[in-house]
């Protein structure tokens, strides 16, 4: 079933205009299972909502936005939403809306894109004002996973402290922090586009 979802995700990526090579680079699929991250017991949706700037992440082949990436978390009447905005490789503004279905632990969500589950999203740590450490994973097969980690800050002035703290959080959970890459936010692009 997970393989079918993976194939459907590739189809959605193709439909959205995301470049999917004829022979895809499957380096983002890793051996193993998603980490058992034990999400924090509480998360205030109201305090977490709003704009977050992506400081760093594990590279994501499915994402259109390549620079100036921002996450906007919005609470609606029926479900939280994550709106990812940024600039793609053609220097065009992109926007992707993902539904977040809350799980038993308030800081854990199942993500849905166009009605398909695309993994679990867990807020591992946040102070609501300056940083958030997020883990996202989808089990592609019994022994293979697609996982990401994201470091968010409310603004880029908080980037260094957010990066430092989130690396410790991810490392303590067993995540490969060496795979995190700084997210580009060039002034000449980001200040005029978003």
């Amino acid at each position: 079933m997970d393989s079918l979802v993976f194939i459907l995700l590739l189809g959605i990526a193709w439909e959205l205009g995301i470049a999917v090579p004829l022979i895809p680079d499957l380096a983002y699929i890793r051996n193993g299972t998603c980490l058992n991250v034990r999400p924090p017991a509480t998360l205030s949706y109201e305090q977490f909502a709003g704009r977050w700037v992506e400081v760093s992440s594990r590279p994501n082949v499915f994402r259109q936005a390549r620079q100036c990436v921002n996450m906007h978390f919005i609470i609606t009447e029926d479900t939280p939403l994550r709106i990812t905005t940024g600039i793609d490789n053609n220097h065009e503004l992109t926007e992707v809306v993902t539904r977040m279905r809350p799980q038993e632990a308030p800081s854990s969500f199942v993500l849905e894109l166009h009605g398909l589950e695309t993994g679990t999203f867990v807020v591992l740590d946040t102070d609501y004002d300056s940083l958030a450490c997020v883990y996202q994973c989808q089990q592609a097969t019994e022994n293979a996973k697609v996982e990401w980690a994201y470091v968010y800050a409310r603004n880029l002035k908080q980037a260094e402290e957010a990066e430092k703290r989130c690396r410790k959080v991810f490392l303590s959970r067993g995540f490969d922090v060496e795979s995190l890459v700084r997210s580009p936010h060039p002034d000449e692009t980001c200040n005029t586009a978003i």
Side-chain angles (χ1 to χ4, degrees):
M1 180 59 134
D2 288 329
S3 297
L4 178 61
V5 170
F6 176 72
I7 291 169
L8 287 171
L9 283 175
L10 285 177
I12 290 171
W14 186 272
E15 184 67 27
L16 290 173
I18 301 171
V20 178
L22 294 178
I23 302 173
D25 173 12
L26 301 178
Y28 58 88
I29 298 177
R30 300 191 177 243
N31 291 330
T33 57
C34 294
L35 299 176
N36 182 8
V37 292
R38 296 177 318 278
T42 62
L43 179 73
S44 168
Y45 296 166
E46 291 75 23
Q47 287 181 281
F48 191 75
R51 176 181 172 263
W52 291 93
V53 177
E54 184 182 277
V55 173
S56 64
S57 69
R58 176 177 280 167
N60 183 340
V61 69
F62 296 109
R63 179 187 284 165
Q64 291 175 308
R66 297 291 176 218
Q67 57 185 344
C68 313
V69 178
N70 285 266
M71 302 293 172
H72 305 267
F73 292 93
I74 300 170
I75 308 303
T76 65
E77 288 183 21
D78 56 340
T79 186
L81 299 175
R82 176 183 70 178
I83 302 171
T84 306
T85 61
I87 306 297
D88 67 12
N89 288 335
N90 298 320
H91 303 287
E92 299 289 329
L93 183 63
T94 66
E95 180 178 281
V96 176
V97 178
T98 310
R99 295 175 60 86
M100 301 175 68
R101 194 172 64 229
Q103 298 302 288
E104 187 174 325
S107 58
S108 182
F109 304 86
V110 170
L111 297 178
E112 294 179 359
L113 179 64
H114 301 289
L116 295 173
E117 290 184 8
T118 60
T120 303
F121 177 98
V122 182
V123 180
L124 297 176
D125 189 17
T126 186
D127 64 3
Y128 301 107
D129 297 320
S130 65
L131 65 89
C133 313
V134 175
Y135 175 75
Q136 181 179 334
C137 191
Q138 180 176 13
Q139 202 63 47
T141 68
E142 186 177 316
N143 298 315
K145 61 185 173 182
V146 181
E147 72 177 347
W148 297 279
Y150 302 98
V151 176
Y152 297 147
R154 289 292 186 183
N155 64 64
L156 287 175
K157 292 176 184 170
Q158 301 163 326
E160 293 304 320
E161 187 59 35
E163 180 84 18
K164 185 177 173 183
R165 181 160 153 184
C166 288
R167 280 181 173 268
K168 287 181 183 177
V169 168
F170 296 140
L171 191 60
S172 74
R173 303 295 203 294
F175 185 82
D176 171 22
V177 296
E178 296 306 313
S179 66
L180 293 175
V181 176
R182 282 308 275 262
S183 302
H185 291 272
D187 289 342
E188 65 277 5
T189 303
C190 300
N191 289 341
T192 58
I194 297 180

